[in-house]
Amino acid sequence: MIRRLRRAVRRVYRSTVDLSHPARSPLGSAVVNCVVYVDGIRQPGDCPAEEAVRRVRRSGKGFVWIGLHEPDESEFKGLAQLFGLHPLAVDDAVHAHQRPKVESYDDTLFAVFKTCRYVEHEMLTSTSEVVDTGELMVFTGPDFVITIRHGRHGSLGPLRERLEAAPEQLAMGTSSVLHAIADQVVDDCLAVADAVQDDIDHVETAVFNESAGRAGRGEAGRIYQLKRELLELKRAVAPLDRPLGLLANRPMPGVTPAVRPYFRDVTDHLARLTEQIAAFDNLLDSILQAHLAQVTVAQNEDMRKITAWAAIVAVPTMVCGIYGMNFEHMPGLGWTYGYPAIVALMATACYVLHRSFRRNGWL
């Protein structure tokens, strides 16, 4: 009941698709939005990227934030030329499946993050998808922020709204946007880790539930699936340690000293997340070993039962085999009560063996 309630709450507060912030604009372009901020205040009106940059550079204040979703080379080529982005960074931004990293090119900073989402499911199976990952690339310069999102989740619309509600943070410059994005990525991964813990608790309960009996012997597939999905989460989280460490402790282009302590806070959250994932991995290893030990014990019990019944059946088989050799001179052949006596002897021997095996726990 508690597990189902947690899932219902997650569905309400973490929808899989953010309908209020569409992935692509109605015109079909990769540009989701283009907004100018001056002193942390969003300027009214929407305009093309060229006009937005012209306004910012003419006034010498503020910056422009351009959001894109899965642009192709032709769509991104114009923006790359407009902002003078490095060709290597442009190639990484267009083609997904990059490792989380932070690179500097003159006065431009290029960051890659892995976004994570927990896939809701009624029951975990050996083929259930638990963790879904995407990618988020961020270019920051003196007067611009460009975000490129790959995947159907990880919308930055809610983040933009939260930042607009705190103009003093946006007034700190483009590095404040980079911090907010990194903080959201880590927080989303923490939420995924908390949800995965529910699945681990459920599998652990099923493995160690004595009333499950033979039904609990099929948990190996679910445990392996959890380990695979946990590895997917680990691949998104572990490489973030070095990039966030650089942003928190070393001078980087566009990262003001006032924002650097905020990155240290994100690294603290990341350290907690990394430790949590490592603990989950060790716990799953222990659960798997315990499950395999239980299967081995159950197989040994089955073998003892088979051996015990084989020993019981061996007594009448031996007696019947001896008296089935058709010799003329055998004891009891001419006795009137020979047949019932032999049957009684076999029944008594089988009963004694059965009681002995039951007493020793073999049956």
Side-chain angles (χ1 to χ4, degrees), residues 116 118 131 187-200 230 233 273 276-277 280:
C116 296
Y118 179 76
V131 179
D187 286 346
D188 288 345
C189 291
L190 279 169
V192 172
D194 291 339
V196 171
Q197 185 173 8
D198 291 341
D199 288 321
I200 296 176
L230 192 64
L233 180 61
L273 177 59
Q276 191 174 7
I277 294 175
F280 287 166

Side-chain angles (χ1 to χ4, degrees), residues 239-306:
L240 282 175
D241 182 61
R242 185 175 181 274
L244 290 179
L246 293 175
L247 292 171
N249 302 311
R250 294 186 182 181
M252 300 292 287
V255 179
T256 60
V259 178
R260 200 172 299 154
Y262 292 94
F263 281 107
R264 286 198 288 269
D265 180 68
V266 179
T267 57
D268 291 340
H269 293 173
L270 180 66
R272 172 200 160 192
L273 177 59
T274 304
E275 293 174 357
Q276 191 174 7
I277 294 175
F280 287 166
D281 197 22
N282 293 333
L283 179 59
L284 284 174
D285 286 337
S286 300
I287 294 174
L288 181 60
Q289 293 299 323
H291 171 67
L292 295 178
Q294 287 180 339
V295 172
T296 302
V297 170
Q299 290 176 345
N300 290 338
E301 291 178 354
D302 292 340
M303 290 301 299
R304 286 195 301 179
K305 291 179 180 180
I306 294 173

Side-chain angles (χ1 to χ4, degrees), residues 128-147:
S128 296
E129 184 182 13
V130 179
V131 179
D132 183 24
T133 59
E135 291 188 37
L136 183 62
M137 287 81 165
V138 184
F139 288 93
T140 61
D143 53 9
F144 68 88
V145 175
I146 303 175
T147 55

Side-chain angles (χ1 to χ4, degrees), residues 28-160:
S29 169
V31 178
V32 178
N33 44 41
C34 178
V35 181
V36 174
Y37 295 93
V38 177
D39 295 329
I41 305 299
R42 177 170 180 162
Q43 302 303 297
D46 295 329
C47 58
E50 295 82 357
E51 177 61 26
V53 173
R54 192 178 300 113
R55 287 170 52 185
V56 169
R57 293 179 176 174
R58 186 187 306 122
S59 63
K61 296 181 179 180
F63 63 91
V64 57
W65 183 353
I66 303 174
L68 300 95
H69 180 260
E70 297 182 354
D72 55 31
E73 294 183 5
S74 60
E75 290 175 318
F76 197 58
K77 182 178 179 180
L79 287 177
Q81 294 176 347
L82 177 64
F83 293 101
L85 304 180
H86 196 279
L88 291 177
V90 171
D91 185 68
D92 289 344
V94 173
H95 302 93
H97 309 293
Q98 303 296 324
R99 180 182 174 87
K101 59 183 179 179
V102 171
E103 297 176 342
S104 59
Y105 300 93
D106 297 331
D107 59 349
T108 302
L109 203 62
F110 175 61
V112 178
F113 301 101
K114 287 278 189 180
T115 58
C116 296
R117 178 179 68 92
Y118 179 76
V119 181
E120 298 288 350
H121 47 269
E122 292 297 332
M123 180 178 295
L124 179 67
T125 66
S126 59
T127 58
S128 296
E129 184 182 13
V130 179
V131 179
D132 183 24
T133 59
E135 291 188 37
L136 183 62
M137 287 81 165
V138 184
F139 288 93
T140 61
D143 53 9
F144 68 88
V145 175
I146 303 175
T147 55
I148 303 99
R149 184 164 55 90
H150 293 269
R152 291 187 55 82
H153 64 275
S155 172
L156 295 177
L159 172 64
R160 186 189 293 267

